[in-house]
Amino acid sequence: MSDQEQQPTDAPEPRGAGLEQPEIEHRPRWRETLSVLMSNRLAAVGLVVLVVMVVTAILGHRLAPYALDAQDLTRRFDPPSADHWFGTDDLGQDVFSRVVIGARSSLLVAGVSVGISMVVGTLLGLLAGYRGGWMDSTLMRTMDVLFAFPVVLLAIALVAVFGPSLRNTMLAIAVVFTPIFARVVRGSVLSVREQLYVRAVRSLGAGDLRIVLRHVLPNVAAPVLVQTSLSLAFAILTEAALSYVGVGVQPPTPAWGSMLSDAQRYMAQGWWLSVFPGLAIFVTVMSFNLLGDGLRDALDPQQRSIIEARGAGAKDGDA
Amino acid sequence: MMSEAPVLSVRDLEVSFATKRGVARVVRGVSYEVAAGETLAIVGESGSGKSVSTLALTKLIPIPPGRVTGQALLGDDDLVPLSERQLLEYRGTRVGYVFQDPMTSLNPVHTIGRQLTEHTRYHLGLSESQARERAVELLEQVGIPAAESRLDDHPHQFSGGMRQRVVIAIGLACDPDVLIADEATTALDVTTQAQILDLVRRLQRERGMAVVWITHDLGVVAGIADRVLVMYAGEVVEQAGVDTLFDLPRHPYTVGLLESLPVLGDLERRDLTAIPGLPPPPTHLPEGCAFHPRCAFRHDERCATERPPLTEVAPGHSIRSFYAVPEEAARAASTAARLPEPGSDRTTDPEGRDDARSGRT
Amino acid sequence: MSEEPLIAVDDLEVHFPGGPRSILRRGSPPPPVRAVDGVSFEIRRGETLGLVGESGCGKSTTGLALLRLVEPTAGSVTFDGRDVRALSRRELRTLRRRVAMIFQDPYASLDPRMTVGDAITEAMVIHDLHGDGKGRRRRAGELLERVGLHPDVAERYPHEFSGGQRQRVGIARALAVEPDFIVCDEPIAALDVSIQASVMNLLAELQADLGLTYLFIAHDLAAVQHVSDRIAVMYLGRIVEQADREQLYRSPGHPYTQALLSAIPVPSPAHERERRRTLLEGDVPSPMDPPSGCRFRTRCPEVFEACGRVDPALQEVAEQHHVACLLHGEVGTEVPRSEHRDAART
């Protein structure tokens, strides 16, 4: 039924003495990706929100109207007002300032831990998927074990052994997230490895390293990118959960999770104590998810170019 | 040939799709008819609209974005204005379909018995045992050995050729007036294709149904069709009886198509004449004749400005072109001219084989 | 004809493992798939050998095995006097410079994330040809022009091209390594009729200009006959007949070749009506469990007693015309008694 999939590609090209040229407009790939991504409104919103969040995290102290240690015990549990947009907490600290400053540790933990797991997971996935055999079985069973390990338990164990610190929180999250990337990458590698174009470059004499770096890796980049944005969302939640049980970011550094954890004691005195950090987590996680979904569509050649190109000249279902 | 009233008569069928790149006019004013016992072949390359011009009859295309206008008379009923619900009464019952890929046109999780009885029970109101009996009968007709014992098998237990036989049996289950075969043998090997073509010819003789055979393979057309429609860029560009089409093609596109074809048995190894360029996309059709940018024959200025009408060049033979290829050139292009006399075909000469056998002892 | 063949294949076998044994089922693991099972042929310099057969007959696997893109399990492949199976990794790379391949699906055989120019220059980078980036890009432009595409299209991605244009890119890339021999694996099967001719013409033109040698693998005998000097017909992992293109058409010696020729529809209604068809019964048996003796005997219209007992060898029935069929004399290997019991089934 490729009849209706027929898309314009080319017509005879009189220019250049009978030499043919596609007629389709040529655009660099990244620009096409970006334009598809931006045509998805939700993903665009997600991206904008995240940019704002990241800028907030970087500027942190400079954006916050009050200093981190500014306490005003005369104004404890003030509801949101013009002075204190998000109200004040049990020590009379400005909740807005703490949310703004807390963005740094929350995003930092998520970013570093997901960054580590992405790099390590991708390498392991490439190795397992491309080499196959015993390497594949050994690596993937190890990943299964790690994946089955409860993250909170692992964090508690790490904290118990090495003491509470930001680094250990990140490490715990990274360990638990690595298998996710390893699996995604391995799955993609297995399918890319069997693609005809890989066989074609092998037929030209290309070695394994070239095939992995030049052909396999770029083609697994898309699922990795999507997984990264979804994992970032999940890492923020995990950090919040760890901080909530007290093995995450340690005071006095504010983080959204630990703020939420502290707020539960004062639920009766001020709803704003829990709502605003919660909202920050929600908005960030949501944005990562929206961006992730948008990326999935924008990067999927199945969604984009292949369908267009398929109907064009080559025979398909129809011919 | 057309003394009987046509079973299916399509008039001015237009199918368009709304796409991101604009309106794709996939079928543009196609008319054809088929009588009982007759085979009409619709031939064209990918994107010519040959499949859509039949699928659209019972709205087997996504609507929207598709839009169908014109008339499709099946007996006295016009199918075009009918709703999806009303069409259920026609699909599979009065119009049977056989699709290209026997792997995907059968549901892998159901037994073929179930897939065969589903239609007859629903449409003909048969009881379960009647439907099973009918299914066995159908499988026997399409040449599946031990039909009864195979009813409870799943599609993967059949070979490609056998699966296509099952698909044909399903297409025939409710005794359709018209069987539409869309590239029904394209996915099959040639020896299997020969079996299926033979089967369809036999079934048609026995049942006297009308067949619309859609294909890109001119060889298959030569073997199965009574009349042929050549489609290009959504329109019929040439229409003729099968002998006329191959012996005296008059449209530049048909002539080009035949000249570009390697023919088995043409041992002279002449250069094939490729048609330059590519068919236009249905969203950006050229002004005037859709084929004129690729046309090898001299064209006057009307070709680029005016859409040529379908004109009769001989009784029952029309072309959509301002320029009919001269008879001499047309004869030269015909594949028959490139082959030895029919009948002198050595490949089926049994003598050679007998000699070989006698040399055995 | 005294000249050494450029490529010689002798008794080539490619068997694929039949898959792991299920832990739920006792007994021996599934038998191997005998995709290619004793194939021999030679191709001389500048010649085109057509390899024709239906799906699953092992023709594509044979092509891949010549470049060791699948590893042969037995037999030998000799390219220009060197044993391909004995080559080291490094030597194999050199082989893949002299032997190139064109694939069936011109979309799938190009990396979608690489421009056409990069795909072509990559081949030169691998073999360190044409100096630096600039020289390579210039050469890529020349190659594109050579196959009838504008040199500017080097910047484009594969999805922007039509099928026929993509196949031209595939050909340009194959030429980039400056090969002597090209394995063409169904190069026109995915293309529309009017486009097929231009690709076949291009291949013929390149052969004439560059003195290339081709193995042309296809299921379409009409196309194979058009482009080949000699034709080998495969059935179930074996070559059953090999002859000059005319000879094969005029006096096919194997019942399978005869059936194949009679099954191919000819675009001429008069010929179609006059033809005597040999319709084959049934389907091709599984390559995991081929019939004993002659592999075609389960469908052969001329089968007789010896067919289950003797595995026919290719024998010369006329000059340069080889047929593996017992109708031409009982030449072949006796099948051990235990194995030909099932011959009675025919």
Side-chain angles (χ1 to χ4, degrees), chain A residues 44-209:
Chain A
V45 169
L47 188 63
V48 170
V49 170
L50 288 174
V51 169
V52 170
M53 285 292 178
V54 170
V55 170
T56 309
I58 292 168
L59 298 179
H61 293 273
R62 257 165 280 169
L63 285 183
Y66 295 87
L68 184 55
D69 47 8
Q71 296 182 358
D72 185 353
L73 290 170
T74 61
R75 301 191 66 173
R76 297 173 68 214
F77 301 119
D78 261 14
S81 65
D83 283 349
H84 300 284
W85 294 352
F86 291 179
T88 60
D89 64 6
D90 55 319
L91 299 172
Q93 293 173 317
D94 180 44
V95 175
F96 178 72
S97 300
R98 290 180 63 79
V99 167
V100 165
I101 295 164
R104 175 175 292 184
S105 30
S106 288
L107 288 179
L108 189 71
V109 170
V112 171
S113 55
V114 170
I116 294 171
S117 54
M118 181 188 82
V119 172
V120 176
T122 301
L123 284 176
L124 294 178
L126 276 176
L127 213 56
Y130 195 76
R131 296 302 288 271
W134 64 267
M135 175 90 82
D136 184 24
S137 331
T138 316
L139 281 174
M140 291 324 286
R141 290 306 75 78
T142 315
M143 291 296 113
D144 286 344
V145 172
L146 282 183
F147 193 57
F149 216 84
V151 59
V152 175
L153 203 62
L154 185 70
I156 291 173
L158 280 173
V159 168
V161 177
F162 301 107
S165 77
L166 205 59
R167 198 192 62 200
N168 291 341
T169 313
M170 294 190 223
L171 208 60
I173 298 176
V175 166
V176 179
F177 277 35
T178 301
I180 302 176
F181 284 96
R183 272 195 202 174
V184 167
V185 171
R186 174 181 173 269
S188 308
V189 170
L190 285 182
S191 81
V192 172
R193 199 180 62 166
E194 297 305 319
Q195 293 294 315
L196 193 56
Y197 58 79
V198 170
R199 178 168 268 173
V201 286
R202 272 224 294 151
S203 83
L204 294 168
D208 287 340
L209 194 65

Side-chain angles (χ1 to χ4, degrees), chain C residues 198-261:
Chain C
S198 66
V199 171
M200 280 192 278
N201 287 346
L202 174 65
L203 287 173
E205 204 183 296
L206 292 171
Q207 180 166 44
D209 293 356
L210 307 171
L212 295 169
T213 306
Y214 291 143
L215 176 65
F216 190 90
I217 302 168
H219 68 279
D220 177 356
L221 191 46
V224 168
Q225 191 179 60
H226 182 79
V227 301
S228 309
D229 301 307
R230 285 185 304 125
I231 299 172
V233 181
M234 272 187 90
Y235 183 81
L236 207 54
R238 289 273 174 86
I239 288 179
V240 296
E241 181 157 8
Q242 204 183 115
D244 168 67
R245 61 194 286 274
E246 271 192 58
Q247 181 84 358
L248 189 91
Y249 178 75
R250 289 193 203 281
S251 47
H254 196 284
Y256 176 65
T257 315
Q258 291 163 2
L260 200 59
L261 283 168

